[in-house]
Amino acid sequence: EVQLVQSGAEVKKPGESLKISCKGSGYSFTSYWIGWVRQMPGKGLEWMGIIYPGDSDTRYSPSFQGQVTISADKSISTAYLQWSSLKASDTAMYYCARSIAAADPYNWFDPWGQGTLVTVSS
Amino acid sequence: EIVLTQSPATLSLSPGERATLSCRASQSVSSYLAWYQQKPGQAPRLLIYDASNRATGIPARFSGSGSGTDFTLTISSLEPEDFAVYYCQQRSNWPLWTFGQGTKLEIK
């Protein structure tokens, strides 16, 4: 069974750094793109960026370019989303998801991880 | 950026009834449109992709149609577990993939 398991909820202060994770199992982790999606409280969904763990090719949505860093460690089948300096406006649920087609970045994404809630508050 | 407008915002129906959800794009997305279901406290789940293809394991009561700018998700006979929020998403032009604002399907 294909599964993405994300790291647990985080509570941080503004200005702190954070790295959350997404571990894939049940498939060849290096062969499928992983995407990250933000859902702010009570709001809709926004694509942040995608990464191909096979070679770490990473592509960002313009709204998130320079605001976050997406990476992957294929040796442990894990993708990451990180912030160097959090803001209160980063408070949201963050989901990772896997592309449904191997090696194709411009495709649909499913399944999704269970989500990681990030709360940034002073 | 392509804006997806979903209607209605809320749909109140009873189990057994037919549900019709709409998603309109501000410009053509060809058939690059998907529908997701999200239940409270859960991640979104892909239902329909490329406008009309059911994802793996999705019951046949879910169907999608449309192309260009107008799309429809139909649930032929609502089951209790179908009450959720539904989002459409387009992937016409990376990196500007967008989601609609969602339709909440609630029990009447």
Side-chain angles (χ1 to χ4, degrees):
Chain A
E1 179 195 6
V2 175
Q3 265 196 315
L4 298 175
V5 178
Q6 297 185 229
S7 50
E10 301 275 2
V11 179
K12 292 289 189 180
K13 291 182 168 32
E16 292 186 330
S17 63
L18 176 64
K19 191 174 190 176
I20 62 174
S21 66
C22 168
K23 183 173 175 62
S25 63
Y27 72 99
S28 173
F29 185 74
T30 54
S31 299
Y32 291 79
W33 288 75
I34 294 283
W36 286 94
V37 175
R38 181 174 77 175
Q39 186 168 37
M40 298 178 76
K43 302 294 186 183
L45 301 155
E46 303 168 90
W47 281 101
M48 301 176 71
I50 55 177
I51 187 167
Y52 189 66
D55 61 6
S56 290
D57 183 2
T58 307
R59 305 174 190 189
Y60 293 93
S61 170
S63 298
F64 294 93
Q65 179 84 48
Q67 306 304 307
V68 297
T69 301
I70 293 170
S71 61
D73 184 341
K74 60 186 179 184
S75 70
I76 55 172
S77 301
T78 301
Y80 300 97
L81 176 65
Q82 69 181 89
W83 296 259
S84 59
S85 181
L86 286 160
K87 311 180 198 62
S89 57
D90 292 319
T91 294
M93 181 72 81
Y94 293 89
Y95 293 102
C96 63
R98 194 206 78 167
S99 61
I100 64 172
D104 181 0
Y106 305 130
N107 213 300
W108 306 109
F109 282 71
D110 197 65
W112 294 43
Q114 82 278 18
T116 296
L117 180 61
V118 174
T119 303
V120 184
S121 174
S122 55
Chain B
E1 177 180 298
I2 296 174
V3 176
L4 298 180
T5 302
Q6 293 187 240
S7 61
T10 304
L11 184 58
S12 300
L13 292 170
S14 301
E17 290 193 293
R18 181 185 187 89
T20 303
L21 287 67
S22 174
C23 178
R24 176 164 290 178
S26 60
Q27 63 189 75
S28 176
V29 298
S30 185
S31 294
Y32 296 128
L33 189 110
W35 292 92
Y36 290 85
Q37 176 192 68
Q38 187 177 32
K39 296 180 180 178
Q42 295 186 20
R45 176 175 72 145
L46 181 67
L47 299 175
I48 301 288
Y49 64 93
D50 291 343
S52 60
N53 296 301
R54 270 192 304 277
T56 303
I58 301 303
R61 64 180 180 274
F62 291 91
S63 64
S65 64
S67 67
T69 61
D70 288 293
F71 300 86
T72 301
L73 173 70
T74 301
I75 310 171
S76 59
S77 179
L78 285 165
E79 297 287 340
E81 63 267 27
D82 298 337
F83 292 91
V85 178
Y86 291 83
Y87 293 97
C88 57
Q89 183 224 319
Q90 63 82 18
R91 64 170 184 89
S92 172
N93 56 337
W94 176 264
L96 299 177
W97 293 352
T98 52
F99 289 90
Q101 82 282 12
T103 289
K104 181 180 181 181
L105 178 56
E106 64 177 24
I107 300 176
K108 188 173 181 180

